[in-house]
Amino acid sequence: MKVAVLGATGWIGSTIVQQATKRGLEVVSIVRDAAKITDNTTVVRVFDLQSQDNIASVLKGIDVLIASVGGRAVGNHELVAQTAERLLTALNGTSTRLIWVGGAGSLEVAPGVTLVSTPEFPADYKDEALAQGEALNVFKTTTSSASWTFVSPAAVIYPAESEGPYRIGGDQFFTNEAGESKISVTDYAIALVDEAQKAAHLNQRISVAY
């Protein structure tokens, strides 16, 4: 299986690359600046999301594309949903699956009430959360034939090694027995690579947390 990671030099993207490489998958790192790739464990393809170039050219031969392009990563709120649309269009009519690194803000804490709309949601993350919500809407309304999975992490994602099994939910926000919504970046990456290999949740949004 050939897995491409768009945004491979970012915090989450680089962790996904590590986990996919550990499993012996053929990994392609899609980056804007090839100089930021410091090892030779992956094939590198260069692409700038802010260009008007045809992204389909760097996706040839890819079985699964994992896109890690959050608002902070691209530095442009509107570019997140635009990228989702762009990828779905590029993959229309192909067998390449798309897995999207989503956000927790669009998860529902009550029917019709999203986490990002609650007073407690951190202001520093609101723009990124809203951008990811717009991207989710792109997936839910797309007419592309491409198979996709939108994977939301827990409300708190933090740097740490694997801390044990994760749970999978849907659109509803959920917590552990201590009332916490959290997952390490390693276990989030593991969940993403698991989905890449298993294709267990096609054309739907899932959430992962402890």
Side-chain angles (χ1 to χ4, degrees):
M1 174 181 283
K2 184 177 285 188
V3 176
V5 180
L6 178 61
T9 58
W11 178 48
I12 295 175
S14 60
T15 310
I16 297 167
V17 169
Q18 291 169 5
Q19 292 303 317
T21 302
K22 278 184 179 180
R23 298 192 195 186
L25 302 178
E26 187 176 354
V27 180
V28 175
S29 294
I30 302 176
V31 296
R32 182 171 58 182
D33 183 1
K36 291 185 177 180
I37 300 290
T38 57
D39 62 62
N40 60 358
T41 58
T42 71
V43 174
V44 178
R45 297 183 186 177
V46 176
F47 189 83
D48 185 351
L49 282 175
Q50 301 196 50
S51 74
Q52 298 303 311
D53 297 338
N54 183 6
I55 195 168
S57 62
V58 298
L59 302 179
K60 290 180 180 177
I62 300 301
D63 296 305
V64 182
L65 170 63
I66 305 178
S68 179
V69 290
R72 292 189 173 203
V74 299
N76 184 334
H77 177 126
E78 283 139 1
L79 191 58
V80 179
Q82 291 171 4
T83 299
E85 184 66 52
R86 191 175 185 180
L87 294 176
L88 288 166
T89 299
L91 297 178
N92 186 42
T94 75
S95 60
T96 304
R97 286 188 288 120
L98 172 59
I99 298 176
W100 184 268
V101 175
S106 56
L107 293 170
E108 292 188 346
V109 296
V113 181
T114 59
L115 183 64
V116 69
S117 69
T118 61
E120 300 81 12
F121 196 88
D124 289 347
Y125 295 94
K126 194 163 187 176
D127 280 350
E128 184 177 3
L130 291 171
Q132 285 286 7
E134 291 165 6
L136 177 61
N137 189 56
V138 168
F139 283 101
K140 287 185 173 181
T141 59
T142 186
T143 58
S144 171
S145 66
S147 294
W148 56 271
T149 309
F150 187 106
V151 186
S152 290
V156 177
I157 181 169
Y158 53 93
E161 295 302 314
S162 178
E163 297 186 2
Y166 60 86
R167 294 184 292 157
I168 295 178
D171 289 322
Q172 286 70 46
F173 179 73
F174 68 91
T175 62
N176 60 20
E177 292 179 353
E180 302 166 321
S181 172
K182 66 177 187 176
I183 194 164
S184 75
V185 68
T186 301
D187 284 321
Y188 183 45
I190 287 171
L192 290 158
V193 178
D194 283 348
E195 181 61 30
Q197 292 189 295
K198 298 175 182 177
H201 304 92
L202 298 181
N203 301 327
Q204 60 184 289
R205 189 261 286 275
I206 61 172
S207 54
V208 293
Y210 296 132

